[in-house]
Amino acid sequence: MSEAAVGGGLYLGHGFSCTGTVNLCGATVGASVELCDATLCGPGVGAGDYALHLGCAQIGGDIQAEHGLVVHGPITLADTSIRGSVVLKGARLNFPSGTALAASRTHIGGDLDCRDGLTAHGAIDLSDARIGGSVRFDTAELTAPDSSRTVLRANGIDVGGVVNFRDGFTAHGRIRLSSATIRSALDFSDALLDTAATEEALVCRGMTAAALLLRLRDAPLGIVILSRSRVGLVLDEPARWPASLVVEGTVYENLRPALPATERIPWLGRDPHGFTPQPYEQLASVYQRHGRDADARTVLVAKQRSMRSTLALPARTWSLVQDAAVGYGYRPLRAIWLLTCLLAIGSTLFSAWPPTPVGGGPYPRFQPAIYTLDLLLPLVDLGQERAYSPSGAMQWAALILIGTGWLLATTVAAGASRVLHGT
């Protein structure tokens, strides 16, 4: 029936059974194709040995296979245009040698409905498909083919509604959604991503979605990659964060739950490739946008601390000094408290062991606090340091105060520069 034209519907259900290929390649069907309760057994595993070939077809209605479809062998819907929905509820697809359902570049006007216990042993390929409605895999179980660890390829897919992998969905293998465009939510609530710790569990590079719900059934052992994605809302569960999470280049507007920065920062430290600055800057910008400036500063301090391990020893030492002194410029009150403590110590010391006048006079009246401040503040001349000189152990005290003052001033300047330039 290759390139056949059917003005109405095509009914292959209600106990229909076929061993061999049902070849509808390039066919035109005016209404729906029904496959309910059908059993299709392909002729083999060679190239083109499909159980059902609906490639390059034009379907004027739905593809209905929601009751008891069993397929042993591959199905192709590649390059097919379907005005209605594709309903595969409860279907059993079995092709462990490769791709069980090939629907790349398929255009579906309605939904792709794979709910209610659909099982597939073999990959599902939805690459570059265009789906006007939603994609639903709720309660489905997908198992990767024996020759690959990818269970679902949907790179470049464009979906007008939601994409649901929820309510007990299970994937024994990798899901690929890179460069996908999802105009509503991508939902993994109560889903199980079953892969080994060193394998990719979910790959969403360059994805765009209105919302991403990652409230998984259990924390995935495999790697979840969200790099360079754009998401309006990310909703997750800290107890079920992936062991390995890549969010480099990811942009989002809101995070739920709205955790304090100290609880959200560990989310950024799960990248198996190590430190990158953008995830910290992105998280800080979200806190700032919602008026949580203290949390934003905490994240930016954490960024500098994480970056410290990537620096050479001299730079690492200088980083430690900046952290302790002014929190990299994000904790300026530390400098004031440190200056106050040094001023109190110096004033006490020089009150007990005052310095002696130098030069021919006249001398300003010695004031221990102003003298200490004159030592601490570089490039500021209060007249006391020039007029008096300490002796004995007080010379060392004065040198320590002068050095500390220069170090503090340099640290404050570096931190202020960092804050002003947003680094």
Side-chain angles (χ1 to χ4, degrees):
M1 295 182 64
S2 177
E3 300 185 5
V6 179
L10 181 61
Y11 300 95
L12 301 174
H14 303 289
F16 174 82
S17 178
C18 178
T19 299
T21 298
V22 177
N23 188 0
L24 297 169
C25 177
T28 300
V29 180
S32 296
V33 175
E34 183 178 323
L35 293 162
C36 299
D37 291 317
T39 300
L40 308 179
C41 297
V45 297
D49 287 336
Y50 296 104
L52 175 61
H53 196 326
L54 259 174
C56 303
Q58 302 286 325
I59 310 297
D62 301 328
I63 295 179
Q64 291 283 348
E66 58 182 304
H67 301 297
L69 174 66
V70 178
V71 182
H72 298 284
I75 300 172
T76 181
L77 301 174
D79 298 297
T80 292
S81 177
I82 302 156
R83 180 172 294 181
S85 298
V86 175
V87 183
L88 295 169
K89 289 182 179 180
R92 288 184 288 162
L93 311 180
N94 186 42
F95 188 58
S97 301
T99 301
L101 174 61
S104 57
R105 301 174 302 279
T106 295
H107 286 234
I108 301 174
D111 297 337
L112 174 59
D113 193 340
C114 300
R115 293 177 291 175
D116 295 350
L118 174 139
T119 62
H121 188 179
I124 294 177
D125 188 358
L126 302 175
S127 302
D128 297 313
R130 298 292 178 265
I131 299 172
S134 297
V135 176
R136 302 179 185 276
F137 279 90
D138 312 64
T139 72
E141 182 173 6
L142 308 182
T143 303
D146 300 337
S147 58
S148 169
R149 289 301 299 157
T150 298
V151 69
L152 174 65
R153 291 188 297 272
N155 297 334
I157 193 172
D158 191 316
V159 182
V162 299
V163 177
N164 282 349
F165 301 95
R166 54 177 298 156
D167 298 336
F169 168 82
T170 301
H172 303 289
R174 178 193 304 117
I175 295 175
R176 292 188 175 276
L177 287 162
S178 294
S179 302
T181 300
I182 300 167
R183 303 181 193 279
S184 187
L186 173 59
D187 191 347
F188 286 91
S189 297
D190 195 38
L192 177 64
L193 304 181
D194 178 24
T195 58
T198 57
E199 296 179 350
E200 296 171 341
L202 174 63
V203 183
C204 295
R205 290 187 182 94
M207 177 198 70
T208 301
L212 172 62
L213 286 72
L214 271 177
R215 307 182 84 169
L216 299 158
R217 192 187 323 166
D218 296 307
L221 297 177
I223 305 169
V224 173
I225 301 175
L226 305 176
S227 54
R228 302 188 304 279
S229 293
R230 300 186 69 88
V231 182
L233 167 68
V234 176
L235 194 154
D236 60 11
E237 178 61 52
R240 301 167 194 166
W241 282 343
S244 298
L245 176 66
V246 181
V247 291
E248 198 279 325
T250 303
V251 177
Y252 47 87
E253 298 176 8
N254 291 285
L255 284 170
R256 293 290 183 275
L259 300 173
T262 52
E263 296 181 29
R264 178 60 71 173
I265 287 169
W267 186 64
L268 305 178
R270 297 179 174 231
D271 192 329
H273 304 112
F275 169 80
T276 54
Q278 187 275 341
Y280 292 87
E281 294 162 5
Q282 169 62 32
L283 180 57
S285 72
V286 170
Y287 280 126
Q288 287 174 329
R289 191 161 54 246
H290 290 86
R292 299 174 61 176
D293 292 340
D295 281 315
R297 289 193 295 270
T298 298
V299 173
L300 293 171
V301 169
K303 182 189 81 168
Q304 297 296 330
R305 289 173 177 168
S306 298
M307 187 168 59
R308 186 188 302 158
S309 62
T310 68
L311 303 175
L313 181 59
R316 197 180 307 166
T317 303
W318 178 237
S319 174
L320 281 166
V321 172
Q322 292 184 78
D323 190 3
V326 290
Y328 299 100
Y330 301 108
R331 301 284 187 264
L333 288 178
R334 286 186 185 176
I336 296 175
W337 284 111
L338 182 57
L339 184 64
T340 301
C341 291
L342 292 172
L343 181 60
I345 292 170
S347 299
T348 301
L349 289 174
F350 291 119
S351 293
W353 296 280
T356 56
V358 294
Y363 309 109
R365 178 171 171 270
F366 178 70
Q367 300 184 57
I370 296 178
Y371 180 75
T372 302
L373 202 59
D374 210 359
L375 296 175
L376 284 170
L377 299 179
L379 307 180
V380 175
D381 185 2
L382 301 178
Q384 293 277 309
E385 183 182 359
R386 288 185 291 106
Y388 294 90
S389 176
S391 58
M394 288 300 98
Q395 288 182 314
W396 290 105
L399 287 173
I400 291 172
L401 289 173
I402 291 170
T404 304
W406 274 103
L407 183 62
L408 185 60
T410 306
T411 304
V412 169
S417 175
R418 178 180 293 107
V419 172
L420 291 173
H421 290 88
T423 59

